[in-house]
Amino acid sequence: MYELLRSVLLDPFAIMNSVGLVAFALVGAAKAIREEFDLFGITVVGLVTAFVGGATRDVLVGRIPLALSSMGEITLGMVGVSLAVALHLVLESPDDHPITVVSDAIGLAAFTTAGAIVAVETGVSSFGVVAIATINAVGGGAFADILLDRSPFILVTDFYASCAVLGGTTYWLLAVAFGAGSVAAALCAAVTVGTRLYAVRFGLHLPTAQSVGAAVDGRFGNGSK
Amino acid sequence: MYELLRSVLLDPFAIMNSVGLVAFALVGAAKAIREEFDLFGITVVGLVTAFVGGATRDVLVGRIPLALSSMGEITLGMVGVSLAVALHLVLESPDDHPITVVSDAIGLAAFTTAGAIVAVETGVSSFGVVAIATINAVGGGAFADILLDRSPFILVTDFYASCAVLGGTTYWLLAVAFGAGSVAAALCAAVTVGTRLYAVRFGLHLPTAQSVGAAVDGRFGNGSK
Amino acid sequence: MYELLRSVLLDPFAIMNSVGLVAFALVGAAKAIREEFDLFGITVVGLVTAFVGGATRDVLVGRIPLALSSMGEITLGMVGVSLAVALHLVLESPDDHPITVVSDAIGLAAFTTAGAIVAVETGVSSFGVVAIATINAVGGGAFADILLDRSPFILVTDFYASCAVLGGTTYWLLAVAFGAGSVAAALCAAVTVGTRLYAVRFGLHLPTAQSVGAAVDGRFGNGSK
């Protein structure tokens, strides 16, 4: 037990993966509670949100998903689901509560880092590292949205997936410059959670093609009229 | 031919997989007929419903999907699609007909068992066995629903996926206690089809977090008011 | 550089895959521009449309997706996205423009051929070749539609996926009869793009089960009335 705990604390992947599993299972289950699903449905949405991103990562790099082979993953997932049910018994609407919003940002950062670590180990391209980090971070929530028949596109448009892209890029740059490890992992997580919480607080938006078109028209188009 | 038939009859996976393919292709095609799709669309929905669960199972355990390498799978799938078209020519609305409802329960049970057999052979965790059995059973119908832009969540909330979870758990318990084999397969299928038909007949529901909250309030909350 | 170009020009898979990546990234990005997504969202929809079909093909045949390991894929994808943004600055609505419609037909044909080539190399069944060719061709667009919460079923009902099925069947027949190679690839692409453009021009439809039922009634049912 002590050995296990020690190996987890010294392994950046294990730390990030564990944090992400609890945080995203909580977020997914809270979403299902708001939809008034039964306890089985709450558990399924919680576990899907926690597991699908990592399982997709593992399938893409040619491994059997960790969630299917390790009992640690399902244990941490059930902890997250139980926390969401407990929060519901204490709070009014856990889905909108700051605890859930912060959990979501933490889960996003933790899974971005876990995905980037696995991708760099596997030896994919720089784009592959950023893509796998982002899929690991966003895949579970997107799949849960698809199951719930909601457009997962809010994840792309709402400065959410872009935080994972920034974090994954950070990890890749640091891994190339100084080597993969705890420092790269900590900075990747910090960039992701920082940009996400900043975006939630200040409502960041990226330019659209329409606004680029308007800017181009404004600069070059006026003279000819 | 005789050898082939004999080997199928002695192989629980082959029996369950064959039954599931015909049953789910029929169910999927019947759904597409009700939506007035063309014959190509009917075939695609039938085959997707029959193949996607098993293909996902195979990808998760690191194998090339059986449906892509064996001609037996597509033959059985086309039998199911043809049965659905034949039923449509005879019956009014094959989608709601008891034949389709019973086929669906049989397909659910057969694919739960096929998934549990493969998962135990692969050597995943106990949760992995239940998860793969459930994905094998529910994956095809859920993916067909996503293609048809319907929420597949009815599969989770309507005591449907829970039958596969019960069946998969049964198989895992029996495999641990007495070893995997025909008896475990038969009991897994019986539990799944039995609970599913019971749920259809009597409209079973599971408790929601709201009802748990109400029960907790009722027991502990009243005294303080 | 010269060597690289030469090896691409002599490799049917590399040609078809490159053409498909640019064409589908353009089509996907044009769709996202019409929905007024931000530049990040446009890039994601473009890359998803370009990459998901081939990535699914690679996962199904047990390989790490090319898009994650080769920088060529992301470069070509970004070329397609940039073309879509450039078209938007020049044209009114690039999504409905003939350039986009023709790009889509070319991408469909190129990816059908790329999928058929990989499937024949892998040694799957005849159905496997047609299925993988079709998934390679249609998977990206279907996944983008799911992300955008639109039913991807138009791809099946609108004589779109059926063109990929015809092309894949052509490649398989030619590969069996004369061996896989540039001629089979060229004819596969020609059949797919030809049937698709013909279908767009003349609005082709396939019969439904209802019309088959009506035809059967008309032939056999009238006498008894």
Side-chain angles (χ1 to χ4, degrees):
Chain A
M1 190 66 209
Y2 171 74
E3 279 303 305
L4 181 72
L5 202 68
R6 194 159 161 277
S7 74
V8 166
L9 288 177
L10 294 176
D11 175 359
F13 172 78
I15 298 172
M16 292 298 173
N17 193 44
S18 305
V19 169
L21 287 169
V22 175
F24 268 16
L26 188 163
V27 171
K31 211 187 279 183
I33 289 171
R34 197 184 53 179
E35 304 259 342
E36 309 211 353
F37 283 167
D38 61 37
L39 289 177
F40 179 71
I42 293 165
T43 308
V44 170
V45 180
L47 296 182
V48 158
T49 308
F51 291 162
V52 166
T56 309
R57 172 203 69 212
D58 286 338
V59 165
L60 288 174
V61 303
R63 305 197 308 194
I64 294 185
L66 218 53
L68 298 176
S69 43
S70 140
M71 286 305 286
E73 301 250 323
I74 175 69
T75 309
L76 292 166
M78 292 308 295
V79 168
V81 170
S82 307
L83 283 176
V85 174
L87 273 179
H88 172 74
L89 299 179
V90 177
L91 303 171
E92 199 66 26
S93 59
D95 192 33
D96 305 328
H97 196 272
I99 293 180
T100 314
V101 173
V102 171
S103 284
D104 193 42
I106 290 173
L108 187 77
F111 274 162
T112 299
T113 315
I117 291 171
V118 170
V120 166
E121 274 170 12
T122 311
V124 295
S125 69
S126 59
F127 170 71
V129 172
V130 177
I132 290 176
T134 308
I135 289 168
N136 198 153
V138 178
F143 191 74
D145 281 346
I146 291 171
L147 284 184
L148 299 170
D149 204 16
R150 302 205 276 192
S151 171
F153 223 78
I154 188 73
L155 299 179
V156 172
T157 51
D158 190 32
F159 217 86
Y160 185 89
S162 13
C163 306
V165 168
L166 290 175
T169 307
T170 304
Y171 190 86
W172 179 76
L173 288 172
L174 292 171
V176 167
F178 310 106
S182 300
V183 176
L187 284 170
C188 167
V191 165
T192 311
V193 78
T195 50
R196 177 57 190 156
L197 290 178
Y198 188 88
V200 168
R201 180 70 187 75
F202 297 103
L204 287 195
H205 293 292
L206 292 165
T208 63
Q210 280 75 13
S211 69
V212 172
V216 170
D217 281 354
R219 198 171 296 169
F220 302 108
N222 264 352
S224 63
K225 278 173 197 167
Chain B
M1 191 64 208
Y2 170 74
E3 280 303 306
L4 180 72
L5 201 69
R6 194 159 160 276
S7 75
V8 166
L9 288 178
L10 294 177
D11 176 359
F13 172 78
I15 298 173
M16 292 298 172
N17 193 43
S18 305
V19 168
L21 287 169
V22 175
F24 268 16
L26 189 164
V27 171
K31 213 188 278 184
I33 289 171
R34 197 183 54 178
E35 304 259 342
E36 308 212 354
F37 283 166
D38 60 37
L39 289 177
F40 180 70
I42 293 166
T43 308
V44 171
V45 180
L47 296 182
V48 157
T49 308
F51 291 162
V52 166
T56 309
R57 172 202 68 212
D58 286 338
V59 165
L60 288 174
V61 302
R63 305 196 309 194
I64 295 185
L66 218 54
L68 297 177
S69 44
S70 139
M71 285 306 285
E73 301 249 322
I74 176 68
T75 309
L76 291 165
M78 291 309 295
V79 167
V81 171
S82 308
L83 282 176
V85 174
L87 272 180
H88 172 74
L89 299 179
V90 177
L91 303 170
E92 200 65 25
S93 59
D95 192 34
D96 304 328
H97 197 272
I99 293 179
T100 314
V101 173
V102 171
S103 284
D104 193 41
I106 290 173
L108 186 77
F111 274 162
T112 299
T113 315
I117 291 171
V118 170
V120 166
E121 274 170 11
T122 310
V124 295
S125 69
S126 58
F127 170 71
V129 172
V130 176
I132 290 177
T134 307
I135 290 168
N136 198 154
V138 178
F143 192 74
D145 281 346
I146 290 171
L147 285 185
L148 299 170
D149 203 16
R150 303 204 276 193
S151 170
F153 223 78
I154 187 74
L155 299 178
V156 172
T157 51
D158 190 33
F159 217 87
Y160 185 89
S162 15
C163 306
V165 168
L166 290 176
T169 307
T170 303
Y171 189 86
W172 178 75
L173 288 172
L174 292 171
V176 167
F178 309 106
S182 300
V183 176
L187 283 170
C188 168
V191 165
T192 311
V193 78
T195 50
R196 177 58 190 155
L197 290 178
Y198 188 88
V200 168
R201 180 71 187 76
F202 298 103
L204 288 194
H205 293 294
L206 293 166
T208 63
Q210 281 74 11
S211 69
V212 172
V216 171
D217 281 353
R219 198 170 297 168
F220 302 107
N222 263 352
S224 62
K225 277 173 199 168
Chain C
M1 190 64 209
Y2 171 74
E3 279 303 306
L4 180 72
L5 203 67
R6 192 158 162 276
S7 75
V8 166
L9 288 177
L10 294 176
D11 176 359
F13 172 78
I15 299 172
M16 292 298 173
N17 193 44
S18 304
V19 169
L21 287 169
V22 175
F24 267 16
L26 189 164
V27 171
K31 211 187 280 184
I33 289 171
R34 198 183 53 178
E35 304 259 342
E36 309 211 354
F37 283 165
D38 61 37
L39 289 177
F40 179 71
I42 293 166
T43 308
V44 170
V45 180
L47 296 183
V48 158
T49 309
F51 291 162
V52 166
T56 309
R57 172 202 69 212
D58 286 338
V59 165
L60 288 174
V61 303
R63 304 196 310 194
I64 293 184
L66 218 54
L68 297 177
S69 43
S70 140
M71 285 306 285
E73 301 249 323
I74 176 70
T75 309
L76 292 165
M78 291 310 294
V79 167
V81 170
S82 308
L83 283 176
V85 174
L87 273 180
H88 172 74
L89 300 179
V90 177
L91 302 172
E92 200 65 25
S93 59
D95 191 34
D96 304 327
H97 197 271
I99 293 180
T100 314
V101 173
V102 172
S103 284
D104 193 42
I106 290 172
L108 187 76
F111 274 162
T112 300
T113 315
I117 292 171
V118 170
V120 166
E121 273 170 12
T122 310
V124 296
S125 69
S126 58
F127 170 71
V129 172
V130 177
I132 289 176
T134 307
I135 289 167
N136 198 155
V138 178
F143 192 74
D145 281 346
I146 291 171
L147 285 185
L148 300 169
D149 204 16
R150 304 205 276 192
S151 171
F153 223 77
I154 188 72
L155 299 179
V156 172
T157 51
D158 191 33
F159 217 86
Y160 185 89
S162 12
C163 306
V165 168
L166 290 175
T169 308
T170 304
Y171 189 86
W172 179 75
L173 287 172
L174 291 171
V176 167
F178 309 105
S182 300
V183 177
L187 284 170
C188 168
V191 165
T192 310
V193 79
T195 50
R196 177 58 191 155
L197 290 177
Y198 188 89
V200 169
R201 180 72 187 74
F202 298 103
L204 287 194
H205 293 293
L206 292 166
T208 62
Q210 281 74 11
S211 69
V212 172
V216 170
D217 281 352
R219 198 170 297 169
F220 302 108
N222 262 354
S224 62
K225 277 173 198 167

